[in-house]
Amino acid sequence: MLPDDPDGQARFFYLALLGLAVAAWVFKDYRHRLGQAAQHAAIWVLIFAGAVLAYGFKDNLGQMLNPDQALRVDENAVALRRASDGHFYATLEINGADIRVMVDTGATRLVLTEDDARTAGIDTGRLNFVIPASTANGQVMSAPVRLDTVALADFVDEDFRAMVNGGELDVSLLGMEYLDRYRSFQVEGDTMLLRR
């Protein structure tokens, strides 16, 4: 079916002529090797179809390759996928550095390991570990800090209160103080949806 506008019709005829020219060249070049021509055409069709599918599913592929990546659902929501250990993880950009955190609704604040705090540009040698915190491994001392920026996908918070854990902590924790900045968060199956 021809497009209604003149520009669309011109493009259609140009592409049709280009297609005929390419088909004529292929037929001339492969005149005595039509089987090989069909094989090459099938390969190119598969490559093109694969590229279209990869583009169409780029968000899902990105989520599979990097499960800590927050998937943007719409302008007000992001989704996290459950990891194989049953927890939800996210990669936050803290002070410009990518930090992997585990969502922990039992934690009050965003709690950074000392290594993650250093990655985010915090001089941990100058911190005062004076605040006791109860953990699954007992009581540890933590230090209060202020983070310039905390970003998840396109959601950016500035001047954010957090803690640096002085004990043995394998992964930084994303607590309720951060989750409360969202209008809602809910778990459906293996997806956590955070909506602002």
Side-chain angles (χ1 to χ4, degrees):
M1 179 178 237
L2 282 176
D4 291 336
D5 63 299
D7 287 340
Q9 290 174 357
R11 274 194 299 275
F12 175 80
F13 285 119
Y14 170 75
L15 290 173
L17 285 173
L18 182 62
L20 285 172
V22 168
W25 174 79
V26 167
F27 183 76
K28 176 186 167 291
D29 200 43
Y30 285 95
R31 182 174 42 228
H32 301 295
R33 301 174 288 148
L34 290 179
Q36 187 181 17
Q39 184 182 30
H40 287 175
I43 290 170
W44 280 107
V45 166
L46 288 174
I47 290 171
F48 180 74
V52 168
L53 284 172
Y55 181 77
F57 291 98
K58 68 181 184 296
D59 290 337
N60 292 348
L61 289 172
Q63 190 73 28
M64 285 172 26
L65 295 173
N66 183 7
D68 297 345
Q69 176 188 5
L71 178 64
R72 191 66 185 257
V73 176
D74 58 40
E75 69 258 6
N76 298 318
V78 294
L80 304 176
R81 298 280 301 161
R82 188 187 305 269
S84 58
D85 65 1
H87 294 286
F88 291 96
Y89 294 89
T91 299
L92 297 180
E93 188 178 297
I94 299 176
N95 294 349
D98 287 342
I99 306 291
R100 182 178 192 247
V101 297
M102 181 179 76
V103 177
D104 184 357
T105 56
T108 302
R109 292 202 179 145
L110 171 59
V111 180
L112 298 176
T113 66
E114 287 192 67
D115 286 342
D116 286 344
R118 283 189 286 273
T119 300
I122 297 168
D123 183 358
T124 57
R126 300 185 67 179
L127 296 178
N128 293 319
F129 291 87
V130 294
I131 299 175
S134 296
T135 70
N137 297 326
Q139 192 164 348
V140 298
M141 301 305 284
S142 299
V145 293
R146 287 275 186 181
L147 305 173
D148 295 332
T149 58
V150 175
L152 177 63
D154 295 332
F155 300 130
V156 180
D157 294 294
E158 297 179 348
D159 192 29
F160 192 84
R161 290 189 316 164
M163 305 293 285
V164 176
N165 185 291
E168 294 297 320
L169 187 63
D170 295 330
V171 64
S172 294
L173 305 175
L174 187 64
M176 288 302 298
E177 230 173 58
Y178 179 80
L179 296 175
D180 284 343
R181 292 183 176 237
Y182 290 83
R183 190 173 75 230
S184 68
F185 66 92
Q186 60 190 38
V187 176
E188 294 179 6
D190 287 335
T191 302
M192 174 180 278
L193 185 68
L194 297 100
R195 185 172 294 281
R196 284 212 171 174

